Amino acid sequence: MNKDKQLQILVLLMAGAGAAYVTAYHPAAGTPLLVGVGVIGALRMLMDHDEQ
Protein backbone atom coordinates (compact mmCIF):
# COMPACT_ATOMS: atom_id res chain seq x y z
CA MET A 1 0.00 0.00 0.00
CA ASN A 2 1.50 3.35 -0.96
CA LYS A 3 1.55 6.50 1.15
CA ASP A 4 -1.12 8.28 -0.90
CA LYS A 5 -3.57 5.42 -0.37
CA GLN A 6 -2.82 5.32 3.35
CA LEU A 7 -3.42 9.07 3.60
CA GLN A 8 -6.76 8.77 1.79
CA ILE A 9 -7.87 5.99 4.14
CA LEU A 10 -6.76 7.97 7.20
CA VAL A 11 -8.67 11.07 6.07
CA LEU A 12 -11.83 9.07 5.38
CA LEU A 13 -11.61 7.30 8.76
CA MET A 14 -11.16 10.63 10.54
CA ALA A 15 -14.15 12.08 8.67
CA GLY A 16 -16.24 9.07 9.69
CA ALA A 17 -15.16 9.38 13.32
CA GLY A 18 -15.99 13.09 13.30
CA ALA A 19 -19.41 12.38 11.82
CA ALA A 20 -20.11 9.74 14.47
CA TYR A 21 -19.04 12.11 17.26
CA VAL A 22 -21.24 14.96 16.05
CA THR A 23 -24.31 12.75 15.61
CA ALA A 24 -23.80 11.22 19.05
CA TYR A 25 -23.96 14.62 20.74
CA HIS A 26 -26.25 16.47 18.29
CA PRO A 27 -28.83 14.00 16.91
CA ALA A 28 -30.54 16.72 14.81
CA ALA A 29 -27.37 16.90 12.69
CA GLY A 30 -27.75 13.27 11.63
CA THR A 31 -29.42 13.89 8.27
CA PRO A 32 -26.92 16.47 6.97
CA LEU A 33 -24.05 14.25 8.10
CA LEU A 34 -25.59 11.26 6.34
CA VAL A 35 -25.53 13.28 3.12
CA GLY A 36 -21.91 14.21 3.82
CA VAL A 37 -20.96 10.58 4.38
CA GLY A 38 -22.66 9.70 1.09
CA VAL A 39 -20.61 12.35 -0.70
CA ILE A 40 -17.42 11.05 0.90
CA GLY A 41 -18.33 7.52 -0.25
CA ALA A 42 -18.95 8.74 -3.79
CA LEU A 43 -15.64 10.62 -3.84
CA ARG A 44 -13.85 7.52 -2.57
CA MET A 45 -15.32 5.45 -5.39
CA LEU A 46 -14.23 8.09 -7.91
CA MET A 47 -10.70 8.13 -6.47
CA ASP A 48 -10.49 4.34 -6.79
CA HIS A 49 -11.84 4.50 -10.35
CA ASP A 50 -9.19 7.05 -11.40
CA GLU A 51 -6.35 4.85 -10.11
CA GLN A 52 -7.29 1.84 -12.26
Side-chain angles (χ1 to χ4, degrees), residues 10-24 33 37 40:
L10 178 64
V11 168
L12 291 173
L13 286 174
M14 300 251 322
Y21 175 81
V22 170
T23 33
L33 284 175
V37 169
I40 289 172

Side-chain angles (χ1 to χ4, degrees), residues 9-50:
I9 291 170
L10 178 64
V11 168
L12 291 173
L13 286 174
M14 300 251 322
Y21 175 81
V22 170
T23 33
Y25 289 101
H26 304 287
T31 303
L33 284 175
L34 182 60
V35 171
V37 169
V39 169
I40 289 172
L43 289 174
R44 178 74 178 131
M45 288 190 303
L46 288 173
M47 283 190 275
D48 280 347
H49 182 69
D50 288 342

